[in-house]
Amino acid sequence: MKRNIVIAAVTAAALIGGGTATALATTGDDQGPARQAANTKLSDDGNRDDQDDRDDDAAKVSSSDVTAPEAIASALKHTSGTVVSAELDDEDDSDEVVWKVDVLSGDNTWHSVSVDPSSGKVLGSQTDDEDDTAQVRAALKGSSVTAEEAAKAAAGKGVVTSVGLDEDGKDKSWEAETRTSGGAEQDWKIGLTSGKVTADRSDTQDDDADDADDQD
């Protein structure tokens, strides 16, 4: 719109003056600053959301006196079977934080056991439907390291907030997430037979790729 007004004004001036005029109409990117401000706001919002997530995770960790191995042991006393994962997470529809431990029983029934992070008491259990039972069984075949042992191994790297079986891909393993006293998070892989703890490089690469996408 501004570009048309400038051209019209110059043309009118040329006609009135009886001469010729060359109009050089340039379109300044008036939206540039606005676009830059919007992008900056989105970046700030994203950073703020990330910080909020980190604060939430820190709050979860500080509210738990019960470690991952202890939560797993408590769940197994209540429901026998094989623990496939344990995670410190929010209870449904509330801000209450509990350990959620997934147990696969001998009859291939999945149980989600809730464990109090303060006392280690089992708060309840419910049956879940899962469609990867055969895949999980196959991944655990020949394994000598349990989820509890994997959590204990990863505890040397920080406070374990989750541990679970990675049954996808070629390299099957336990995966654990830890948090240090400084708040830094790290993912680890624990060998199913060796119990060896190594940094999850694929996770680091994914984070780097996400950061690059955000900068673009």
Side-chain angles (χ1 to χ4, degrees):
M1 181 65 72
K2 290 182 179 180
R3 178 175 181 274
N4 293 336
I5 292 175
V6 171
I7 293 174
V10 173
T11 302
L15 291 175
I16 293 172
T20 60
T22 302
L24 298 177
T26 61
T27 58
D29 189 359
D30 295 336
Q31 293 181 347
R35 185 182 297 110
Q36 182 177 1
N39 290 338
T40 300
K41 183 178 185 302
L42 289 174
S43 178
D44 290 342
D45 289 343
N47 292 335
R48 191 177 298 111
D49 289 342
D50 290 342
Q51 183 61 49
D52 289 343
D53 289 341
R54 287 191 290 269
D55 291 342
D56 289 343
D57 290 341
K60 291 177 185 178
V61 173
S62 63
S63 67
S64 178
D65 296 323
V66 176
T67 65
E70 291 170 343
I72 291 172
S74 182
L76 286 175
K77 288 181 180 179
H78 180 274
T79 305
S80 61
T82 301
V83 171
V84 179
S85 68
E87 181 180 10
L88 192 61
D89 201 3
D90 296 334
E91 185 70 302
D92 294 338
D93 301 325
S94 74
D95 293 330
E96 182 183 3
V97 176
V98 299
W99 280 104
K100 287 292 186 68
V101 184
D102 290 334
V103 182
L104 177 58
S105 64
D107 61 354
N108 289 336
T109 300
W110 288 86
H111 303 271
S112 179
V113 183
S114 299
V115 178
D116 190 310
S118 298
S119 65
K121 179 182 177 181
V122 172
L123 302 174
S125 176
Q126 65 182 27
T127 302
D128 288 340
D129 293 327
E130 301 288 348
D131 57 4
D132 60 346
T133 302
Q135 189 174 357
V136 168
R137 291 289 191 196
L140 288 174
K141 186 177 181 180
S143 171
S144 57
V145 178
T146 66
E148 183 177 356
E149 292 168 340
K152 289 179 179 179
K157 304 296 185 179
V159 178
V160 178
T161 56
S162 70
V163 60
L165 177 67
D166 178 13
E167 74 274 17
D168 297 326
K170 181 180 179 180
D171 298 325
K172 310 292 191 297
S173 66
W174 290 106
E175 287 186 333
E177 182 179 281
T178 61
R179 176 178 286 271
T180 65
S181 58
E185 294 179 349
Q186 177 66 56
D187 289 340
W188 307 90
K189 286 184 176 292
I190 302 94
L192 292 175
T193 57
S194 66
K196 182 180 179 181
V197 181
T198 57
D200 188 349
R201 300 300 181 187
S202 62
D203 179 76
T204 302
Q205 292 171 358
D206 290 342
D207 289 343
D208 292 342
D210 290 340
D211 292 340
D213 290 340
D214 291 340
Q215 293 174 359
D216 291 341

